[in-house]
Amino acid sequence: MQEPRLQTDDLWWMSRKERYIRACERGELFVKIVRENNIPFEERYPLELLLGEDLFILLHDVMFAPTLMNLADEEQQGWWLQKALNYDILGTYAQTELTHGSNVRGIKTTAEYEENLFEEGGWHIHTPSLEAVKWWPGGLGKSCNCCILMARVIIKGKDYGPHPFFFQVRDWETHASLPGIELRDIGAKLGYNGMDNGAMRISHVNIPRRNMLMKFVIVEKDGAYRKVGDDKMLFGTMTYTRLKISSGAGFNLAKAVTSTIRYSAVRRQFQMQRVVLGADIDNHLDDDEKDALASQDQLKLLVKPSKRTEAQVLDYSSQQFIIFPQLALAFAMHFAGQEAGKAYDAALLEFRASKFDALTEMHVLTSTLKAVSTVLMADGMEQCRKCMGGHGFLNAAGVGPQYLSALPQATYEGDFVVLSIQVGQQLLNAVSSKMMKGKKSNPKTPSLQYIYEYDPAKPSLPPKAAELDSLLQNHDFLMAALKSRANYIHFTSAQTFQEEVAAQGKMGAETLDTVKIELMRMTYAHAYVLYSDFFKKRLTELETQSPRVASVLKLVFELFCLTVMDQSYDRGGGFGDFVAAGVLPHNGQGQLLRRIKQLLKDIRPHAVPLVDGWNIPDFLLNSVLGRYDGRVYESLYESTRNEPLNETDISEGYYKHLQYLLHPERRRDEAAAARAAPAPSATPPGRL
Amino acid sequence: MQEPRLQTDDLWWMSRKERYIRACERGELFVKIVRENNIPFEERYPLELLLGEDLFILLHDVMFAPTLMNLADEEQQGWWLQKALNYDILGTYAQTELTHGSNVRGIKTTAEYEENLFEEGGWHIHTPSLEAVKWWPGGLGKSCNCCILMARVIIKGKDYGPHPFFFQVRDWETHASLPGIELRDIGAKLGYNGMDNGAMRISHVNIPRRNMLMKFVIVEKDGAYRKVGDDKMLFGTMTYTRLKISSGAGFNLAKAVTSTIRYSAVRRQFQMQRVVLGADIDNHLDDDEKDALASQDQLKLLVKPSKRTEAQVLDYSSQQFIIFPQLALAFAMHFAGQEAGKAYDAALLEFRASKFDALTEMHVLTSTLKAVSTVLMADGMEQCRKCMGGHGFLNAAGVGPQYLSALPQATYEGDFVVLSIQVGQQLLNAVSSKMMKGKKSNPKTPSLQYIYEYDPAKPSLPPKAAELDSLLQNHDFLMAALKSRANYIHFTSAQTFQEEVAAQGKMGAETLDTVKIELMRMTYAHAYVLYSDFFKKRLTELETQSPRVASVLKLVFELFCLTVMDQSYDRGGGFGDFVAAGVLPHNGQGQLLRRIKQLLKDIRPHAVPLVDGWNIPDFLLNSVLGRYDGRVYESLYESTRNEPLNETDISEGYYKHLQYLLHPERRRDEAAAARAAPAPSATPPGRL
């Protein structure tokens, strides 16, 4: 911590205003560092994650600047892009309206073309109703002075649908909102309160014709509208944003898991130094632990449970059963995010060369991971918080406020339901192109290949109980089981869908609605296939790169797969699905749970080293309970100094109200005194 | 809203200090109403729920006063009880310490008896270490001037364990904390911030001998310690508190369900008046709907979906699939809380007459409901919040802050894990007294009777597919299915436990730890048996009292049971358990889901009338999205006026930081100016 302004330990006690000012300070600091060190645009995102606060810069870097890169033509980029990359202007992405979020085609803000505006023609931008007020864009309330505005293009009465515009909202010099533009912060949220999510109402504002981004669509001065090349990139910003969101999910969960595991182990850490240091280490450790000790240099964590004191919570199987699957999930989501990022980078090069073969694959991949990872991340963080007991409810524990700030990720840019409908339809398509058209593969969607390889006419038979124990340790079996289960869900859902179509005699939006529950289940099942494949890929690489690490992560991988098979991370499916799919015997739950319990025991000695290995600094964990040094209770007690209520012993609430509750006669006495004399002086201060 | 001080619509934007002062104002108002109307103690709890804020009065009424009633002897009650009932003193219950919550026997605060203190002997109270600091008691930080203090009694070196004391903490007149007593608020929490949860450090404070509550334990002047009658009531406050907590769970969930269902239907409500009012009602409604119309007088809600506009979210099966099971759960938990309350009232009369036959039944009943209802309530409220989409993340939507304020209920007074271990052991006892001792019943635990009636040697066979459709509508089948599933879990878990005992050759705390996961699953399964039994009992009563209501609630009851069978409300179990228990065929998931979908459709027209029927006033919902009048978007937009950031167009953050980010030269210019001239004046204010 060489930079004092990165202090975060006062964050959880701030008022909304104080937090926003802190966010502005962080923004200034971030830009200063970027400028002084000439940090290229591509390398700024990890730096942002280190700021310890959510702020307008995020939208500027993830949505505003990339949209200019992807959708502005060369001349337009010359006007705006360099300024954006250098933060001489601050932008955001204004698409969502009060009544339209995910459904971009429904937005109502209008951009009417008028040839006689300005010299070269212009756009008349307007918010036609309350419902069309822009609502949610991060940074739009107070911070940004411009944005990408999505508005419905109307030329000579014809509606061309939503298009992106470069739109200035505040004066470059004074920062005052421009005439005709009303800007507000949309108010306190459950979390994410460093961000000034904004509302914007536009009253008849004119902007030049060339403020529409014209890489793929051109509107001439005479109002002629034409497309240039392929406009598939027009909404590509959303795909990129979904990728970025899902890439961060593993890290967010990892923070919560780190704090929870450390807190659950902390008193044992204290005890260790007393019990184990010194000559009798050999008497206290078994061979496995000595190995781990040699490899980890983590003396404090490697002691056998002592019977002389209360057991520590991390040794309870109930605690392990909740936390360790979250540890496994954090790895799974992190690996999936990284692998999807690599695939996207490759695809982006093709897209920019107007080759769009990988478009569906990228859409399904990023939508699945965005939909599922954000929900599992939020659930997992809350599970971790609950595992910290009562103290976990304090802001000082860190996990709670971080969970709340991560929550909107499950909603914005397409929530689980919306995305699962899109993903589910692609999965249905794959099933139907196999079943109806006999296709054996679709080279454009390699991640759906397992669907083409499934034969629903040959249902698998569940293994016998005698074989099951060893199969549950067989990675090929585990991965095949997740795929068979997914295929069972996909193919039975497709059949239900066909029946609905046949019953209704046609296929429409209402037919799709009859299988939405199935589409959600398909999306979850598909996500687990992706996670396990990506996880196994990384595990295989590690087996040569770092066999020691791989030998531990192997256990974590197995726990991930078995958790899906036992009860699932989500609420749908789990064991019942696997029985129905013929992958597990109906009486196999006992064996499954026994293996899980063994894995929990095996992972236990590695749990703290694993999270310490993530090396997340204390200022980012921002948790008195998750501190690396384990000084939990002192820190917790000290943290109360941050609470404004503790500035005085006797609070204002006593002078204003409590004293009259306890001593109602004082109210009467004061009233009598007021009649007899001038108004009483101000409330006396409490003593310090 | 005749009482202006019950305004709540500014609550979600307040700073911590402002909220605490508001809580004090509500406290004063509450006591004024109680005094002016002579409201008896027993009738005050519902009034507290109407205050729209969590405050110190709750602890005073639910824990402080009842403890005096139950554990103080007659003379002591004469000193303190009347004052407490009249709020001349304000108390709380100080048991939890920084390192000991649920495990009361582990608390470390000491009360050493000294015969020569005062005239009649006294106690030397002390906090021996940081770990022993009292931590969490509601109202202890700033509001209360006394408490029930749990401290470890030590007489002549002998430790008698924790006992309750009446303990003054603040001056009756000035409210200053007393010498030797350090009080603090424990700081900002995720929610529940009207409550001043406190920390207390006691440094060598002496109190009279008779400040120990002596109804069941007497310590004489010479230090003689003796029990009087049966001291089973000593920790009875916890049982009562658990009952109160679980009784409120259904109401909390009902609030969230109301807001979510109204918001999901709101635009259709608007449309109805246009579409249906007038003479052509007959053309738009089918017979069922006309019936409902006649019975409900809820014209606006009863229209068929129109194809002329966008579908409303409440018509999507995906939305119904998430919300309606929460509607069902709210009823189930509410009925269970009420029935448990009746049983407890009856038992309490026996307890006060020193008859303790019902003790185990009450312990298992309140522990099961407390453990499961609070977890399902919290999960359900968050599901409802997510169903409100992006706007649900705003405090203005109400459900979020309410969810966060309800969250600690899942943790305090025994969290799920701690209670499930207690419940699970009782369930294991029942299994073993049946299997080992051949008992056919235990009259002291009627709610466990179903365990005695189960024969694990005769496993049930799953019904055939052809029978299943009608069985899924058969209430006897549904209830029997929940019981068979629970018994399957109980008996297989008991077997696993026996195997562990046999393997380890003994039974200790570590043996119990090996089945903690099973104990959790047993507790869930048992809770669903209780819910469905209580629900069915009320349904049967309603069938004669109000057949119309019963005909709708019947659907809700079925949905409740089928949701447990399909995927469970919790994460463990669901369909797989029922297959393993032989209750459902392994390929029955499709039929189950089909029936659920039909129920969702059937419940849809009744959803809004059902929540309107709860009649929860707008000021308690405190949600711009859940308003009875449906003016959602106007209210949402207006709510931004509450946000302090919107007091100015240009924020302080701009003047302090953003301007230097956008115009770095200003920093240099100012530095130059500062060298040339005196310090610049204060930050200029933003324009209004």
Side-chain angles (χ1 to χ4, degrees), chain B residues 431 434-435 439-440 448-460 480 483-492 580-583:
Chain B
V431 172
K434 175 189 167 68
M435 298 305 287
K439 292 233 172 113
K440 296 251 163 68
L448 306 188
Q449 182 56 30
Y450 73 97
I451 297 175
Y452 293 92
E453 288 167 6
Y454 180 71
D455 185 353
K458 285 191 200 159
S460 67
K483 291 195 175 83
S484 295
R485 177 270 197 124
N487 276 321
Y488 174 79
I489 304 275
H490 300 340
F491 282 79
T492 52
V583 176

Side-chain angles (χ1 to χ4, degrees), chain A residues 97-98 108-111 124-134 149 167 180-182 200-205, chain B residues 637:
Chain A
E97 297 174 355
L98 204 42
K108 291 189 160 61
T109 301
T110 50
H124 182 84
I125 311 284
H126 187 57
T127 303
S129 65
L130 179 66
E131 284 78 8
V133 166
K134 291 293 175 187
L149 177 80
F167 191 67
I181 296 175
E182 185 192 333
M200 174 165 65
R201 192 168 201 161
I202 305 166
S203 304
H204 307 291
V205 170
Chain B
Y637 196 68

Side-chain angles (χ1 to χ4, degrees), chain A residues 28 98 142 173 184-185 317 391 513-514 518 521 566 569 571 597 640 646 648 666-667, chain B residues 28 98 142 173 184-185 317 391 513-514 516 518 521 566 569 571 597 640 646 648 666-667:
Chain A
E28 189 192 359
L98 204 42
K142 297 288 156 185
E173 288 302 314
R184 294 186 188 180
D185 179 277
S317 62
H391 299 336
D513 188 61
T514 62
E518 285 87 345
R521 292 182 173 181
D566 176 46
Y569 287 93
R571 254 152 247 262
K597 287 192 208 168
T640 58
N646 287 329
T648 58
R666 289 187 190 170
R667 189 74 82 185
Chain B
E28 187 191 0
L98 203 42
K142 298 287 157 187
E173 288 301 314
R184 294 186 188 181
D185 180 278
S317 62
H391 299 335
D513 189 61
T514 61
K516 273 199 188 135
E518 285 87 345
R521 292 182 173 180
D566 177 46
Y569 288 92
R571 254 151 246 264
K597 287 189 204 171
T640 57
N646 287 329
T648 58
R666 289 188 191 169
R667 191 69 86 186

Side-chain angles (χ1 to χ4, degrees), chain B residues 155-281:
Chain B
I155 306 172
K156 297 175 188 165
K158 184 174 173 189
D159 186 334
Y160 290 85
H163 287 67
F165 294 81
F166 178 90
F167 191 68
Q168 183 184 352
V169 300
R170 288 181 179 273
D171 188 275
W172 302 128
E173 288 301 314
T174 67
H175 208 63
S177 52
L178 294 180
I181 296 176
E182 184 191 335
L183 296 169
R184 294 186 188 181
D185 180 278
I186 62 169
K189 295 154 292 195
L190 305 190
Y192 209 61
N193 278 313
M195 185 72 86
D196 53 316
N197 295 91
M200 174 165 65
R201 192 169 202 160
I202 306 166
S203 304
H204 307 290
V205 170
N206 297 324
I207 59 172
R209 174 176 60 91
R210 287 280 289 150
N211 272 33
M212 185 172 95
L213 303 191
M214 294 200 185
K215 185 165 180 181
F216 295 102
V217 172
I218 289 175
V219 173
E220 305 284 5
K221 182 168 189 302
D222 65 359
Y225 176 102
R226 65 191 164 87
K227 297 192 174 180
V228 187
D230 202 318
D231 65 347
K232 289 203 176 72
M233 288 295 285
L234 215 51
F235 302 107
T237 305
M238 298 279 276
T239 303
Y240 178 68
T241 310
R242 283 177 195 147
L243 176 77
K244 282 289 168 201
I245 294 169
S246 57
S247 300
F251 179 69
N252 279 325
L253 182 56
K255 284 201 290 185
V257 169
T258 300
S259 292
T260 302
I261 284 186
R262 284 193 184 152
Y263 176 55
S264 302
V266 73
R267 278 186 288 177
R268 181 161 308 285
Q269 284 183 299
F270 279 0
Q271 193 187 34
M272 311 230 167
Q273 291 154 349
R274 189 158 41 81
V275 176
V276 173
L277 279 181
D280 58 5
I281 277 190

